[in-house]
Amino acid sequence: MKPKAAYSETQRLVNGVNVDELFKTIDTVKRQPTVATFKFRAGNQWLGGGHNRTTVRNFYGAGQEHDRRQPFVLDADEPPVLLGEDKAPNPVEYLLTALAACVTSSIVYHAAAKGIRIKEMESRVEGDIDLQGFLGIRDDVPKGYREIRMHFKIEADAPAEELEEIVQLGPAYSPVFDTITRAVPVKVQLER
Amino acid sequence: MKPKAAYSETQRLVNGVNVDELFKTIDTVKRQPTVATFKFRAGNQWLGGGHNRTTVRNFYGAGQEHDRRQPFVLDADEPPVLLGEDKAPNPVEYLLTALAACVTSSIVYHAAAKGIRIKEMESRVEGDIDLQGFLGIRDDVPKGYREIRMHFKIEADAPAEELEEIVQLGPAYSPVFDTITRAVPVKVQLER
């Protein structure tokens, strides 16, 4: 009866998310909250000028260490107008990447939990930076983004009037959205 | 006299940053502050489950649009314990990447402006997330990072007691550090 089992496993996927596993995870965390403790990590090496390389290898979560088979390697650089060689996206573009990816996945997972099937989704994100801050020209100008705007296009098995609620699952649950909008403490230390 | 010119151009590089260009940029911005207005952008397409793809193509800055010769493509996914297939770093790891890259470059550029030569620099970054927030189990648990810690190792042409000041140029000027620690507004809209 293998084909039937395979069929039933397929049935549990909503938006590519295994919702049985998702609900099992929620039940496990409710019984044992420490399972929800995660530590994400990255290492960075400076390569010269605005060019540096981040390596993502492992994280801690669900009570144990997790090692990737292969580390993920992410280069950053600056475009010529910011005195780099444009070898890779720059750090503030990586921040937009983190945000777009996270809001997207948060919509996908939470829609799946509600049984809402999403067919297609794309988004664009834009943020404003005034470099007078970074350049140290004006103290009253923020160094980072003043504002970030995201626009989503979604096709889902839901009435048009529900699409707005579906999109808002993103800002409601996204860890990166929350990190950027909440003011998270970042400690920077020299290692000797 | 070409060789001499080439030599003198080499001389202007500190930490791989063309400091003549850097000071010229600062002078230009002081005379014409709108030159400092930048808009960074990214587009994202959902590929299924926790897998999505961000494309970085262009930005606005220094009074004009800038197109990359080739777009930068950045996939995100989740590891199996978070119901993904581990095809790529996850969104909260992209956030750490943005932070590590930005604090590093901010140290490099501002040290260059001060004439401090950095020989080597590497860092590691770690952040804590309690998934009870994302999973909607507890409203009083933040969805994003509770805290992020960065550790830097630096070798520079500077006395050991100045290394601490050099590292602190990062949090003092980094746009991503500022964005994460300040609470930046993010607007999320449905496009019809």
Side-chain angles (χ1 to χ4, degrees), chain A residues 57-75:
Chain A
R57 291 174 198 280
N58 55 47
F59 63 92
Y60 173 87
Q64 62 183 341
E65 290 291 331
H66 300 261
D67 278 307
R68 263 63 179 253
R69 280 183 304 271
Q70 294 255 322
F72 299 118
V73 177
L74 300 162
D75 275 28

Side-chain angles (χ1 to χ4, degrees), chain B residues 5-71:
Chain B
Y7 180 70
S8 110
E9 279 200 80
T10 307
Q11 286 296 86
R12 295 171 195 165
L13 287 178
V14 181
N15 305 333
V17 177
N18 186 326
V19 289
D20 285 354
E21 283 297 322
L22 180 56
F23 290 127
K24 207 157 64 177
T25 302
I26 291 171
D27 285 343
T28 306
V29 170
K30 280 182 178 165
R31 285 198 311 275
Q32 198 185 334
T34 54
V35 168
T37 301
F38 277 67
K39 287 179 193 293
F40 294 100
R41 303 169 185 138
N44 183 283
Q45 191 183 9
W46 176 54
L47 300 174
H51 187 204
N52 61 69
R53 181 165 294 158
T54 298
T55 306
V56 173
R57 289 175 200 279
N58 55 47
F59 62 92
Y60 173 86
Q64 60 182 341
E65 289 291 330
H66 300 261
D67 278 307
R68 262 64 178 253
R69 281 184 303 273
Q70 295 255 323

Side-chain angles (χ1 to χ4, degrees), chain A residues 15 36 38 41 44 49 82 93 109 123-126 129 131 144-145 150 152 178 182 187 189 191, chain B residues 15 36 38 41-42 44 49 68 82 109 123-124 126 129 131 144-145 148 150 152 178 182 187 189 191:
Chain A
N15 305 333
F38 277 67
R41 302 169 187 139
N44 183 283
L82 296 173
E93 290 171 329
Y109 277 55
S123 59
R124 52 194 176 84
V125 53
E126 183 178 74
I129 295 186
L131 281 186
Y145 283 110
M150 309 185 79
F152 277 85
D178 177 68
R182 180 168 46 89
K187 293 182 183 164
Q189 284 198 313
E191 210 163 77
Chain B
N15 305 333
F38 277 67
R41 303 169 185 138
N44 183 283
R68 262 64 178 253
L82 297 173
Y109 277 55
S123 59
R124 52 193 177 82
E126 183 179 73
I129 294 186
L131 281 186
Y145 283 111
I148 298 173
M150 309 185 78
F152 278 84
D178 177 67
R182 180 168 46 91
K187 292 182 184 166
Q189 284 199 313
E191 209 163 79

Side-chain angles (χ1 to χ4, degrees), chain A residues 156-169:
Chain A
D157 270 346
E161 62 269 24
E162 269 180 37
L163 288 180
E164 187 64 50
E165 285 168 51
I166 294 170
V167 169
Q168 294 307 328
L169 291 170

